[in-house]
Structure formats: C-alpha cells, structure tokens
Amino acid sequence: AVALGAAACGSDTDSGGTTAGGAKDGNYKLAFVQGVAGDAFYITMECGIKEEAAKEGATVTTQGAQKFDPTLQTPVLQSVIASKPDAILIAPTDVSAMQQPIAQAKAQGIKIVLVDTTLNDPSVAVSAISSDNTAGGKAAFEAIQKLAPNGGKVLGVGVQPGISTTDARDKGFADAAKADSKFTYLGVQYSQNDPAKAASIVSAALQKDPDIVGIFASNLFSAQGSATGIRQAGKQGKVNVVGFDAGPEQIKALQDGTVQALIAQQPGDIGVQGVQQAIKALKGESNEAKIQTGSTIITKDTIDSAEGKAAAYKA
Ligand code: T6T
C-alpha cells in the first residue's frame, strides 16, 4: 500500500498497515508532520520512520505544508489530530508559535515526539531528538578556517528566526567566527527557506564585499540557493561555501566545486529513534527526554567514499 508521493527509500519500508499477525502491541497509528513537504531531509527521515514502524507493526501517515511556516503547519497538525493517531512525530516550524497547537494534541491524549526542531518548552513531548546543531555551526566555521587559513570576511545565510535548528547553527557559526580575530563576521541574512532569496542574498553580498572568503548556509534550501548565487557571480572555487544538509542538488554543487563542504545530518536515524520513543511511550515504558544524533562532514575528497555515499539524503 504505497501512497502516491511516498518516499523512495531504497528498500521495502512500506508500513501500510498490513500487519496480519505481525503487530506486537496493538497496531499503533503514528503520524509524521514534516517541517515542510518536498524536502530531502524530511523525506529521508520519513524512510527511517517507516522502516522502524514496519518492525513494530505500526502504521504511518506523513503530512507537510508547502512552506516552512507555522501558520501553514498549524492547520496540517489540526487535521492530523482530528484523525486520532496514537502518537505524532513533528518538526515544529517555530519555537513559540507551535507550542499551543502541539499542546492541544497532547491534551487529546496523543503522545508527542519532537523530531529535528524543538520548542521553547519541549516538556509537552515525551522525547525531543535532533542533531547537535550548535556544534554543527561551529564545525562549519572550522571547515572555513581550514579552507581560508589567512582569514577574512565570512557571511551567514540563515532561514528565519524562530527555528530552533537553524538558529543554533547560525549562533554556533557566529560565535566561532567572532572568536577568531583573523575573521570578520558580516552577520546572518535570512532566506525564508527560499533558494531564490538565498541566491540574491549571496549575489548582493558579493557585490558589496567582493573579498568575502567564506559563506555558511544553515540548511538545504539556503545552501542550494547560495550555490546558485556563487555561480551567478562567477565565484565558483573562489569563495568557500559550507552548507548544512546533503540533498541531491547540494551533492552536485560539491562535486562541481561550487560548494566545498557539507554537514550531513542523520535524518533517517532521527526518524528511527523517534518511532522507538513514541512506541515506548505508548507501551508505558520510560522515555529519553533528549536525544542528540550525529553528523558527517562531506568534502570532495570523501564524497565517493562509503561514508560519503551513506551520508547523502534520499530524494
Ligand atoms: O536542515 C533541515 C532541518 O534540520 C531544519 O530544521 C530545516 O531545514 C532542513 O529541513 C533542510 O531543508
């Protein structure tokens, strides 16, 4: 029972509910609410969720709004609540705006697991699972330090304030850049998760400061657009670009030398652990309130290694 538009996970991870005799503890109904639809990061996470759910005899439905926006995610969540799942795995699109809508799900007796992003008060959830995003931002700066040992101007291309993950990455990068006197931190500009906006931010910044040595783009769409901006400015290989995530376009930009390093998260693992925590809560077992998953830096040198290939997201 593969739904239209279902993620192509590379193995049979369909958990369409055909659990004849396989369900262990009651055919749990899980719902996954993505930060946004059509994002390779959440698609890869969905693969991990389905894989683990299938092992448990649980069913999964996946929904995401067309934009990374709490005003669009809220009605998606409300319709998911109305479908009465046992647990919801959700990537909240804003640390404060999604607090109340998620509390409403909890009030209906639904177990909540936060995957990827979190809330100002994550206690509404049984578990919150994410990458170490502050460390990821710092690692991005360290990659630029290696690529541009003489220092210079560096720019951040973020998404929008209020997203726990990208805010932490931007801060990790900014703090590390400010701590190295060889570098001048030019601040962060926000793409609103729109690659075209990220491209124009980069073009304009390179016109204003043609001597920029490094750019850190803190998520997939910002990084994709930053690469476009670099190409438009004819600066491939002249400015060091480090992007978070490892979507298909990003891998291409790394291969063709527009981007120098990617910090790949482990969305599949976040999904697997999210399901495990949801099932534990449903069985009345104890939860891990906070789980941090790993990341891998991919460069041109490691892109074709087994590790590099495994780190690439599923489209
Ligand atoms: O970087 C991921 C995710 O971790 C972040 O919260 C939002 O953007 C992505 O989904 C990539 O587009």
Side-chain angles (χ1 to χ4, degrees):
V2 176
L4 270 182
C9 297
S11 61
D12 186 9
T13 53
D14 180 25
S15 60
T18 47
T19 52
K24 289 173 195 152
D25 275 86
N27 277 329
Y28 293 122
K29 261 176 76 178
L30 310 180
F32 173 37
V33 180
Q34 303 163 309
V36 65
D39 176 337
F41 174 82
Y42 295 115
I43 293 171
T44 308
M45 190 184 294
E46 184 187 349
C47 292
I49 289 172
K50 286 184 166 175
E51 197 179 295
E52 192 61 18
K55 287 187 194 156
E56 293 287 344
T59 59
V60 182
T61 58
T62 301
Q63 326 274 336
Q66 292 306 309
K67 283 168 105 184
F68 203 97
D69 178 341
T71 66
L72 300 180
Q73 190 179 43
T74 297
V76 169
L77 173 59
Q78 284 165 342
S79 83
V80 166
I81 296 170
S83 74
K84 298 191 185 302
D86 298 304
I88 297 176
L89 283 73
I90 182 167
T93 43
D94 187 277
V95 286
S96 55
M98 292 311 296
Q99 192 80 54
Q100 192 50 35
I102 292 176
Q104 271 162 13
K106 187 190 174 191
Q108 301 290 311
I110 301 168
K111 302 291 182 195
I112 307 297
V113 177
L114 302 179
V115 282
D116 176 45
T117 45
T118 189
L119 293 167
N120 283 335
D121 178 7
S123 69
V124 68
V126 297
S127 183
I129 305 160
S130 71
S131 303
D132 185 342
N133 290 293
T134 309
K138 184 169 181 244
F141 179 70
E142 287 164 357
I144 291 180
Q145 261 176 331
K146 268 197 209 148
L147 293 157
N150 297 329
K153 293 176 184 169
V154 291
L155 172 74
V157 181
V159 183
Q160 66 204 23
I163 305 173
S164 65
T165 48
T166 51
D167 281 352
R169 294 168 201 164
D170 295 342
K171 185 171 185 321
F173 180 81
D175 288 350
K178 288 178 200 162
D180 185 337
S181 59
K182 282 191 193 158
F183 286 85
T184 306
Y185 176 60
L186 297 177
V188 58
Q189 293 188 48
Y190 296 105
S191 72
Q192 312 300 331
N193 215 30
D194 176 358
K197 180 98 204 281
S200 64
I201 288 171
V202 166
S203 311
L206 287 171
Q207 262 182 12
K208 185 161 177 267
D209 292 293
D211 53 346
I212 287 175
V213 298
I215 293 177
F216 169 50
S218 60
N219 89 334
L220 185 149
F221 296 104
S222 309
Q224 227 171 266
S226 294
T228 306
I230 291 282
R231 286 189 197 104
Q232 284 166 351
K235 291 265 197 178
Q236 296 100 307
K238 297 196 178 89
V239 179
N240 299 294
V241 184
V242 179
F244 230 83
D245 298 303
E249 290 270 312
Q250 291 178 282
I251 299 283
K252 272 190 217 152
L254 188 62
Q255 268 158 346
D256 73 20
T258 313
V259 167
Q260 280 61 46
L262 296 176
I263 299 180
Q265 305 186 74
Q266 294 171 353
D269 188 29
I270 296 176
V272 166
Q273 298 208 53
V275 170
Q276 289 171 348
Q277 292 299 315
I279 303 271
K280 272 183 199 266
L282 290 166
K283 288 183 179 168
E285 296 169 9
S286 62
N287 283 107
E288 264 178 85
K290 190 175 168 184
I291 297 176
Q292 229 154 35
T293 51
S295 58
T296 313
I297 296 206
I298 322 177
T299 63
K300 211 170 181 173
D301 294 340
T302 60
I303 197 166
D304 293 321
S305 68
E307 194 196 18
K309 282 186 183 151
Y313 298 176
K314 293 168 178 162

